[in-house]
Amino acid sequence: MSESTGSTDKLVGVVLVSHSAAVAASVAELATGLAGGGTTAPVAPAGGTMDGGLGTSAELISAAAASVDRGAGIAVLTDLGSAVLTVKALLAEGDELPDNSRLVDAPFVEGAVAAVVTASTGADLAAVEAAATEAYAYRKV
């Protein structure tokens, strides 16, 4: 499910990896909704396993990354530990994810919103990563 409106040429793509398909899809919906009108960066959820269960799937992650690749890089955000390990394994393979794919160390929800909003402005991958990582500092009280 790639969410986008307008032209997405050369925008950083965002992949949201969760152990739950519903969580990944909901966070993608929230992030794209909060990115506002106009051009929205391509976003794809990669949640759960191939059979619809809880867990992570290298195949779903690879397909999601390919679906949002516009040549400007891919920011991959994850929810929990084994999702991180799955993405790291894909990156180590070297040919499973598009070139310039990067695992971003950020809180899942807040980082996803920051990544999508920043990517939608046409920012490069380093700026998208920095915005998502900065979400660790967001205070709620």
Side-chain angles (χ1 to χ4, degrees), residues 69-89:
D69 184 14
R70 304 294 184 272
I74 310 291
V76 183
L77 286 83
T78 61
D79 63 356
L80 301 170
S82 63
V84 173
L85 296 176
T86 303
V87 172
K88 282 184 174 183

Side-chain angles (χ1 to χ4, degrees), residues 3-8 11 32-42 116 120-121:
E3 298 287 333
S4 64
T5 57
S7 172
T8 57
L11 292 178
T32 56
L34 292 177
T39 300
T40 303
V116 173
S120 296
T121 70

Side-chain angles (χ1 to χ4, degrees), residues 14-16 26-36 40-41 43 77 104 106-121 127-128 131-133 135 138:
V14 179
V15 174
L16 302 174
S26 294
V27 172
E29 179 183 3
L30 176 67
T32 56
L34 292 177
T40 303
V43 180
L77 286 83
V104 176
F108 193 59
V109 175
E110 295 91 336
V113 171
V116 173
V117 168
T118 303
S120 296
T121 70
V128 171
T133 301
Y138 294 172

